[in-house]
Amino acid sequence: QVPLPIDVMAPVLEHLVNNAVLHGATSVTIDPKDGYLRVTDNGSGISDGNRQRIFDPYFTTRRNAGGTGMGLSIVRRLLESQGARIALVDGPQTVFEISF
């Protein structure tokens, strides 16, 4: 059970899954733990040079494909509005951790 409203979690998870698919993922795992939720995908990953910028408004690697760079920034703000946080976990895979 996630302690956040569905109208917050639905767009958050939708965005994370859509991003994963756009970056080649064929699998996304959502793993609930005590106090946090991990979302892991097997897509192309996030380069070291981009890892620090992914939550910045207007930062995108997909501008030519119509990306605006607002998605992860909005995800972060939605979660923060509920007292939750999102972070990118270090490692070779793309892993986001949402803590409550």
Side-chain angles (χ1 to χ4, degrees), residues 8-65:
V8 170
M9 284 308 297
V12 165
L13 293 175
E14 180 179 348
H15 184 78
L16 294 177
V17 170
N18 284 339
N19 264 8
V21 170
L22 290 172
H23 289 90
T26 58
S27 173
V28 176
T29 303
I30 300 172
D31 188 17
K33 301 285 186 187
D34 189 30
Y36 65 94
L37 182 78
R38 279 202 169 179
V39 181
T40 305
D41 72 64
N42 68 345
S44 59
I46 300 170
S47 72
D48 290 340
N50 290 337
R51 293 179 79 78
Q52 297 298 319
R53 302 178 62 199
I54 62 167
F55 293 107
D56 292 350
Y58 306 110
F59 175 75
T60 181
T61 59
R62 297 184 38 79
R63 187 144 338 265
N64 291 341

